[in-house]
Amino acid sequence: LDLREHSERLAQTMDEVARAAGALPQGYLALDEEARVKFLLGELAGRRPLVPRRAALSPPTTETLQVFEVLARAHRTLSPQAGDTFIVSMTRGVSDILLPLLLGREAGLCDLTQPDGAALRVAPLFETMADLDAAPRILATLLDLPLYRGYLQRQGDVQEVMLGYSDSNKDVGILAASWARFQAQRRLWAVARPRGVALRLFHG
């Protein structure tokens, strides 16, 4: 299985979880991108549980957390190959890629601090024209994070990236969007190659 969730849904989940845990009294959504990345890296570098086990969470948040729990169960009872890629729709920043790793850690799926904890891949999905244009910058920032880079090395130095069609086609039309996707692929490759990372690009 490939699992896919919208970046805003993931952010809303983290907002509620962080408030309930007391980790971010002001909430996750109130943070700018730099503060979100700093918070997520701090949590990923540690081992403390974040999701309060007895908190009364909303149905959407509970459902999102259960996706990771079901995937973790499939890894234990079937195989990690039952589902090893989590796609983030409407990826707008590095935080959108780090966030599923933290939620996955809470379910026991992955642990960026452990050599055997690299069972979950996160694939950003770049869809709109603005996102396609920002994709190389986002990837460069991500690959230059030591914690994430070490995690990726344990996955064979392969980064998956998904390129979307619907929103870019709506933005500027089929021909211009096709050219933008072609250019984005070239620029993403130019970011990954000197860093020793192989790209696995797929389209949807």
Side-chain angles (χ1 to χ4, degrees):
L1 296 174
D2 285 331
L3 295 101
R4 177 172 164 178
E5 186 55 271
H6 199 287
S7 60
E8 289 183 8
R9 176 70 174 267
L10 294 169
Q12 289 163 359
T13 297
M14 182 52 63
D15 185 75
E16 187 173 352
V17 165
R19 286 176 186 271
L24 288 172
Q26 78 276 34
Y28 180 79
L29 294 176
L31 304 179
D32 61 19
E33 172 64 7
E34 184 179 354
R36 289 184 182 190
V37 170
K38 182 178 179 180
F39 168 73
L40 294 170
L41 287 175
E43 292 296 325
L44 287 166
R47 303 293 300 278
R48 71 167 181 173
L50 184 63
V51 177
R53 297 304 172 189
R54 297 186 179 181
L57 301 173
S58 67
T61 292
T62 300
E63 182 184 68
T64 301
L65 295 174
Q66 285 175 343
V67 169
F68 291 93
E69 291 168 2
V70 169
L71 184 57
R73 193 179 311 133
H75 277 215
R76 292 192 303 269
T77 59
L78 299 173
S79 163
Q81 294 178 341
D84 62 355
T85 298
F86 191 96
I87 303 164
V88 183
S89 297
M90 287 295 180
T91 295
R92 298 279 164 79
V94 170
S95 65
D96 295 328
I97 306 168
L98 297 177
L99 209 166
L101 292 173
L102 182 54
L103 295 178
R105 190 202 67 185
E106 290 294 299
L109 265 173
C110 56
D111 188 338
L112 273 67
T113 67
Q114 298 301 307
D116 59 348
L120 183 68
R121 295 182 185 274
V122 176
L125 168 50
F126 299 110
E127 302 182 71
T128 67
M129 286 294 292
D131 294 341
L132 287 169
D133 186 59
R137 173 185 54 79
I138 293 171
L139 183 65
T141 304
L142 181 71
L143 296 182
D144 289 341
L145 295 174
L147 188 65
Y148 184 82
R149 190 68 180 85
Y151 185 74
L152 200 64
Q153 285 174 345
R154 299 196 292 277
Q155 294 178 331
D157 279 321
V158 177
Q159 175 65 54
E160 294 187 353
V161 175
M162 185 175 179
L163 301 173
Y165 279 60
S166 177
D167 286 277
S168 55
N169 287 347
K170 287 182 217 175
D171 281 347
V172 294
I174 294 174
L175 182 59
S178 296
W179 178 249
R181 284 188 296 271
F182 173 72
Q183 291 291 88
Q185 289 178 94
R186 292 180 58 130
R187 292 170 61 211
L188 287 167
W189 177 78
V191 166
R193 188 184 185 192
R195 290 169 171 82
V197 174
L199 280 182
R200 181 179 293 139
L201 295 164
F202 59 104
H203 299 250

